[in-house]
Amino acid sequence: MSPTNYLLLSALLFSIGTVGVLVRRNAIVVFMCVELMLNAVNLSLVTFSRINGSLDGQVMAFFVMVVAAAEVVVGLSIIMAIFRTRRTASVDDANLLKY
Amino acid sequence: MGSQSFSDALGVDYGALAPLLIVLGGACVSVLLEAVLPRVRRRSVQLVFSLAVVVVALAAVIIRATSGAGDVVVLAGSLSVDAPGLFLWGTLLALAVPSVLMLADRSVEPGGVFVADPEALAEAQERVGAGSLRSTSSGLPSGTGTDTHGVVGRRGGAGPEPTTPPEMHTEIFPFVLFALGGMLAFSAANDLLTMFVALEVLSLPLYLLCGLARRRRLLSQEAAVKYFLLGAFASAFFLYGVALLYGYAGSVRLADIAASAAGPLRSDALLFAGLALLVVGLMFKASVGPFHTWTPDVYQGAPTPVTAFMAACTKVAAFGAILRVFTVAFGTTALEWRGVLWAVAIASMVIGTVLGITQTDLKRMVAYSSVAHAGFILIGCLAITPAGLSGTLFYLLAYGFTTIAILGLVSLVRSGDGEAGHLSGYAGLAQRSPVVAAALSFCLLALAGVPLTSGFTAKFAVFSAGLADGMAPLVIVGLVCSAIAAFFYLRVIVLMYFSDPAPDGPTVSLPGPMTTVAITLGVAVTLLLGVLPTAALEWAGAGTFLG
């Protein structure tokens, strides 16, 4: 199978993630959509690595995974803090700051 | 490894890397201090240690810059220590000094602006009983209830009296050092992967710092969630841009991307799609134009010292990276993409100015003003000339100190439940506190770009560089926006000097030594760069980016 198909799949996953961030209301689901975007990028990196015939892309995918894991720690702790005070994780309810 | 020989690539030039290593190493040690020190001594030790780290790193930058050591690419080509990079490092570290001082201050907000340490809170409650501390009744990790603490400028530390509010979290010091280390790496990154990792290292501590305010917990946490979700969203775009550019060039080294673009013809789709996505991520961090939506909310909700740190340092780091990416990786293809970024710069200036007029909260106004200023700075970035580079670097230095001073002053004007914030609170401030009003007016005039302030010199440098590079329409929009923006700065000044204070209006706290030093430093640099800009301009124009 041509590696280009993987690039298309990656673009599709990235788009799904983007749409998910824009339309979903629960902070955790929004965050999962961001993770989907990051993993779509990983797929792209690995595919490009294959096309270019170098290992750099695969190494970069590892970096991305580590960074994504760190982001999960920080993100979930922030979401949990706001859930404790508000009893909701909906991003629509966080509306004190505007205009 | 590029053109470097293998042994060069493996050797580490510690002299060039010293500032970065000192800050990141200091951050690690700071985490350890948190673990081993007894709670009562943590704050003072952490404060002294953090300040020492920043000052030593700043000294290392100055030694490096004056030693005449050439520009080098270190760590197998992932970081580039060159003249503009050293200027950015110097700027970041110099701005970090007043930031750390403000973060550590507890004269304005008793106990410090950050949430109370849970242990300290529990101890304080035990000592005082349920009477005067009415917090954590709902199990919240908060110190919201330490109300009405009359006198400001109380000295705490060892053996706090019953009335002393519980000590704040001291984890903020390692956070700040890590964020600072990320910023240093971000502005010196010579490949996109390093840039991405540095972006996260600088962002993650900032997300947390935003959510740690002692007062107005809901606003603070809301700011943290918004900043985090949007920041993660933007960094995903950045990363996809990196992947596409890797596909295009077969390398993420900035110079390799430029070489590929100049080489034999290949699909430009990957190059420009990659650049577009990359730019979204970078512009988000620099709070430019249409990617600014997080800025007002986060600036308002975060504790004011954090806002100052973010507004000054993040902007320097982000624009440093933007300059480097534009100049080194995309300088050769500038003609093809510059038009799109014209639109972004115009959007940024117009949005910042027009929405800034409608604001009623001073911190939000500063946020929109920072969006407008980001547009002005972008003009300098788009002029890919030495004049544009030096103008932008100077602008970043000048803007950073002015913003820190303004936010420091904003933190002094307080009503019963924290900072006043709302513009009406500033009515007649000149009668209550002439010094604060005068300093605030001076800084606002600097933001407006009045001569004899650093803002004028900076704007002049950036606009003349833009004009010289054939961006006359952009410069005209910039000038019109500056004129309109002057309105809302002057409105605050008029309010402070020519209206009567409300009887129940906010009071002006007497700042402790640390905030005083921070504000004085900001005001002094603003004045100095306005009156004698030559030395800084010369240093800013000392060299160009190394590929």
Side-chain angles (χ1 to χ4, degrees):
Chain A
M1 198 162 91
S2 153
T4 322
N5 292 334
Y6 291 104
L7 292 181
L8 293 177
L9 174 64
S10 148
L12 185 68
L13 288 174
F14 191 85
S15 312
I16 293 173
T18 312
V19 173
V21 171
L22 297 177
V23 302
R24 296 305 295 260
R25 297 215 162 80
N26 187 301
I28 304 231
V29 179
V30 170
F31 187 42
M32 279 161 60
C33 290
V34 171
E35 293 292 311
L36 180 62
M37 293 165 78
L38 292 180
N39 283 314
V41 173
N42 275 346
L43 184 57
S44 275
L45 284 171
V46 173
T47 312
F48 279 128
S49 178
R50 168 92 182 173
I51 295 175
N52 289 337
S54 70
L55 286 178
D56 294 2
Q58 299 184 23
V59 175
M60 278 154 64
F62 279 111
F63 273 87
V64 175
M65 281 186 235
V66 173
V67 166
E71 215 170 46
V72 168
V73 173
V74 171
L76 289 185
S77 64
I78 292 175
I79 294 172
M80 201 181 74
I82 201 168
F83 179 78
R84 277 195 190 163
T85 45
R86 289 175 190 264
R87 293 283 146 204
T88 167
S90 167
V91 287
D92 282 0
D93 291 344
N95 58 0
L96 294 171
L97 291 163
K98 53 189 169 187
Y99 310 123
Chain B
M1 303 293 148
S3 58
Q4 287 179 312
S5 75
F6 209 73
S7 60
D8 279 348
L10 287 179
V12 178
D13 186 345
Y14 289 104
L17 270 180
L20 183 63
L21 294 179
I22 290 169
V23 171
L24 286 177
C28 296
V29 173
S30 184
V31 172
L32 284 179
L33 287 180
E34 200 60 39
V36 298
L37 285 177
R39 194 174 46 71
V40 285
R41 287 176 50 203
R42 264 183 226 156
R43 179 182 166 279
S44 47
V45 174
Q46 288 279 29
L47 169 62
V48 172
F49 179 75
S50 310
L51 271 182
V53 164
V54 174
V55 170
V56 170
L58 183 59
V61 169
I62 292 170
I63 290 169
R64 175 82 190 173
T66 51
S67 69
D71 299 347
V72 287
V73 174
V74 288
L75 290 184
S78 57
L79 287 174
S80 168
V81 183
D82 44 26
L86 282 173
F87 186 89
L88 287 165
W89 281 9
T91 309
L92 281 169
L93 292 164
L95 290 171
V97 173
S99 304
V100 170
L101 286 173
M102 277 170 62
L103 286 160
D105 190 278
R106 15 166 225 201
S107 60
V108 180
E109 173 80 61
V113 288
F114 293 97
V115 286
D117 191 78
E119 270 179 66
L121 194 65
E123 266 180 38
Q125 276 170 329
E126 251 174 53
R127 248 196 331 271
V128 178
S132 61
L133 281 174
R134 53 164 177 79
S135 63
T136 65
S137 53
S138 52
L140 310 180
S142 70
T144 39
T146 54
D147 48 10
T148 56
H149 7 39
V151 203
V152 289
R154 206 194 321 270
R155 304 191 53 79
E161 321 100 77
T163 44
T164 314
E167 189 59 78
M168 67 182 180
H169 265 296
T170 42
E171 279 91 348
I172 58 143
F173 293 103
F175 282 165
V176 171
L177 288 180
F178 272 120
L180 190 62
M183 287 167 187
L184 296 181
F186 194 52
S187 56
N190 196 34
D191 72 47
L192 294 175
L193 181 63
T194 312
M195 203 174 264
F196 172 69
V197 174
L199 174 74
E200 293 295 328
V201 172
L202 88 84
S203 304
L204 295 180
L206 283 179
Y207 299 150
L208 290 170
L209 284 172
C210 283
L212 289 178
R214 182 179 288 250
R215 287 162 175 277
R216 301 187 183 159
R217 300 273 309 143
L218 287 181
L219 291 189
S220 168
Q221 288 176 346
E222 183 177 324
V225 168
K226 285 179 170 170
Y227 193 20
F228 170 73
L229 288 177
L230 292 174
F233 191 49
S235 60
F237 278 100
F238 180 90
L239 196 62
Y240 201 42
V242 174
L244 295 185
L245 290 171
Y246 171 67
Y248 175 79
S251 159
V252 285
R253 196 67 42 82
L254 296 180
D256 291 352
I257 294 170
S260 302
L265 203 62
R266 46 177 123 184
S267 156
D268 277 349
L270 278 181
L271 177 69
F272 291 117
L275 173 64
L277 290 167
L278 198 69
V279 161
V280 171
L282 288 171
M283 298 289 158
F284 174 88
K285 272 293 149 204
S287 67
V288 177
F291 315 106
H292 70 286
T293 40
W294 60 278
T295 317
D297 287 356
V298 174
Y299 277 29
Q300 189 190 357
T304 306
V306 175
T307 309
F309 179 58
M310 251 185 347
C313 293
T314 313
K315 203 149 232 149
V316 175
F319 272 109
I322 289 174
L323 271 174
R324 193 178 289 277
V325 167
F326 282 1
T327 314
V328 179
F330 295 97
T332 49
T333 45
L335 278 180
E336 291 164 80
W337 51 262
R338 216 160 66 165
V340 180
L341 284 165
W342 274 38
V344 173
I346 290 175
S348 187
M349 292 185 282
V350 171
I351 290 173
T353 314
V354 172
L355 291 182
I357 292 177
T358 63
Q359 297 308 310
T360 52
D361 184 284
L362 198 66
K363 269 166 99 180
R364 282 185 94 78
M365 202 194 86
V366 170
Y368 278 107
S369 134
S370 94
V371 175
H373 280 278
F376 302 146
I377 301 174
L378 196 56
I379 296 180
C381 295
L382 291 180
I384 304 180
T385 56
L389 175 63
S390 67
T392 312
L393 293 179
F394 182 83
Y395 204 122
L396 290 170
L397 177 68
Y399 176 77
F401 274 102
T402 312
T403 312
I404 285 190
I406 288 191
L407 288 165
L409 291 164
V410 166
S411 72
L412 300 183
V413 182
R414 308 174 69 82
S415 54
D417 63 334
E419 282 161 23
H422 198 271
L423 278 182
S424 61
Y426 287 80
L429 194 74
Q431 292 173 32
R432 287 218 166 91
S433 175
V435 179
V436 168
L440 191 55
S441 308
F442 178 70
C443 292
L444 289 170
L445 288 176
L447 283 190
V450 170
L452 286 185
T453 62
S454 60
F456 173 75
T457 324
K459 272 200 183 118
F460 182 78
V462 166
F463 286 163
S464 59
L467 208 56
D469 204 36
M471 298 196 289
L474 209 51
V475 173
I476 291 170
V477 175
L479 289 172
V480 171
C481 286
S482 308
I484 301 173
F487 165 74
F488 61 78
Y489 301 125
L490 291 176
R491 187 178 57 180
V492 180
I493 298 174
V494 168
L495 202 61
M496 286 191 296
Y497 280 92
F498 301 110
S499 9
D500 291 322
D504 56 343
T507 53
V508 177
S509 302
L510 197 62
M514 285 190 281
T515 300
T516 314
V517 168
I519 294 171
T520 314
L521 203 61
V523 174
V525 172
T526 305
L527 180 65
L528 203 66
L529 290 180
V531 182
L532 295 166
T534 335
L537 272 174
E538 264 172 22
W539 191 21
T544 50
F545 283 118
L546 185 65

